[in-house]
Amino acid sequence: MKNTILGSIYLALASSIWGGMYVVVKIVVSVIPPLELVWMRYLIAIIALLLIGFITRQNWRINKCHILLIIFIGIIGNAISIVTQEIGTMLSTAQMGAIITSATPAFMVIFARILLKERLTLKKGLSVCLATIGVILIVGVGHVNLSSKLGGLSLLIAALTWALMSVLVKRVPSNYSQVVVTTYSILVALIVLTPFVLPRLHEMNISQLTHPTIWGGVLYLGIISTACGFLLWNRGLQMLNASSGGLFFFFQPVVGTLLGWLILGENIGVTFWIGSILILTGVLFVIIEKK
């Protein structure tokens, strides 16, 4: 019971942090392109995680049989998912980013069944259907322009890849420190992204980066959203099963939508809310499912 409560707190905190992240990304990405932004936040996160690791005297040794798994986690979750997430947020809205990626718990149910052999029940299947319909409503509404539809598709890819990564994390032995696992997976993503980013860095407007809002946003994304958020998420997943752990994503759209409305002045349409309700209903079906 203690692990369940602690795991729930860790996951709720991580998801709330990421709900606010969409608003920050929407502001910062107007100056720093998505790929460069992901690379910069990972560079900052690596420094923060290494400091945490050395202060807490972590054991950095990883068995050879688990290296490939961590590489997959880094490429799928930390590289592909986060890049598509920020591209999608740039092309759409902070609300859409938070809501569509909240379909992740339903996708985690499918991957948990395939990879971890967790039981797939009628309620879990229904949750996937509801979440999918919700995503289609949000992405496919007629008045949304092409940019937002492409953004929605990119966000859907982000949700799928993050769900797969979250299930893969469950296959990492629990005796490994989450500081170590998170550091290595982010390092993998940083290495993968570097060849694509370095030739483009000179195109950035350095004078705009000195604005407090921009560098403050980058620090938030690197330290709070990436280093702290990933640590909380990975630790929480180790304490709960994959199907239940993903459910705490519902904090993300609530926080993301609220902040998008308060800070960015984004409008909340009826169709948007219908899609959101369907996604959250799908999540609720999994929450009440008996283990």
Side-chain angles (χ1 to χ4, degrees):
M1 180 60 70
K2 182 181 177 182
N3 276 352
T4 301
I5 293 172
L6 275 176
S8 299
I9 292 171
Y10 291 152
L11 292 170
L13 283 172
S15 192
S16 297
I17 287 170
W18 292 334
M21 173 196 69
Y22 287 96
V23 177
V24 178
V25 168
K26 190 66 181 175
I27 295 170
V28 177
V29 83
S30 63
V31 174
I32 306 173
L35 200 61
E36 287 86 336
L37 180 56
V38 174
W39 185 82
M40 289 174 69
R41 67 184 275 196
Y42 281 170
L43 193 62
I44 293 169
I46 282 289
I47 295 170
L49 287 166
L50 286 174
L51 284 173
I52 293 171
F54 286 119
I55 290 171
T56 55
R57 298 185 178 183
Q58 298 290 332
N59 178 9
W60 297 94
R61 187 184 299 275
I62 296 286
N63 291 335
K64 289 182 180 179
C65 59
H66 299 132
I67 291 175
L68 191 60
L69 177 59
I70 291 175
I71 290 174
F72 279 138
I73 289 171
I75 293 173
I76 294 169
N78 301 117
I80 298 174
S81 183
I82 302 302
V83 170
T84 53
Q85 179 190 91
E86 297 197 356
I87 290 173
T89 304
M90 177 186 70
L91 293 174
S92 57
T93 65
Q95 292 170 11
M96 186 178 284
I99 292 293
I100 291 179
T101 51
S102 73
T104 296
F107 297 134
M108 284 178 67
V109 171
I110 298 296
F111 289 126
R113 172 59 182 167
I114 296 170
L115 299 176
L116 304 178
K117 308 303 179 186
E118 289 186 7
R119 192 163 57 99
L120 178 59
T121 64
L122 179 62
K123 285 183 179 179
K124 288 181 179 179
L126 184 58
S127 75
V128 176
C129 292
L130 287 172
T132 303
I133 294 169
V135 170
I136 291 171
L137 277 175
I138 293 171
V139 179
V141 289
H143 65 274
V144 175
N145 58 35
L146 178 62
S147 175
S148 288
K149 288 182 179 180
L150 290 173
L153 179 61
S154 185
L155 290 164
L156 182 57
I157 294 171
L160 281 164
T161 49
W162 187 261
L164 177 57
M165 184 278 291
S166 296
V167 172
L168 290 176
V169 165
K170 290 289 294 179
R171 302 190 70 170
V172 177
S174 57
N175 59 303
Y176 286 136
S177 163
Q178 287 308 315
V179 174
V180 173
V181 174
T182 303
T183 301
Y184 282 145
S185 62
I186 290 178
L187 181 60
V188 168
L190 192 64
I191 292 170
V192 169
L193 294 175
T194 296
F196 300 98
V197 172
L198 285 183
R200 295 154 53 106
L201 286 179
H202 71 278
E203 298 174 6
M204 292 174 56
N205 189 333
I206 302 300
S207 62
Q208 289 182 306
L209 296 178
T210 59
H211 194 284
T213 303
I214 301 303
W215 61 256
V218 173
L219 287 176
Y220 173 87
L221 291 172
I223 298 172
I224 306 299
S225 179
T226 305
C228 297
F230 283 16
L231 280 176
L232 290 167
W233 183 255
N234 290 346
R235 181 57 180 157
L237 284 175
Q238 289 289 350
M239 296 182 168
L240 300 174
N241 66 46
S243 298
S244 299
L247 307 173
F248 290 87
F249 247 71
F250 81 91
F251 283 95
Q252 182 172 292
V254 172
V255 174
T257 301
L258 181 62
L259 291 178
W261 174 62
L262 288 173
I263 299 173
L264 303 179
E266 295 179 352
N267 294 319
I268 302 175
V270 175
T271 311
F272 188 91
W273 277 115
I274 293 173
S276 304
I277 290 169
L278 285 173
I279 290 174
L280 297 179
T281 302
V283 172
L284 182 62
F285 268 116
V286 185
I287 291 176
I288 61 177
E289 173 70 22
K290 293 182 180 180
K291 298 179 185 178

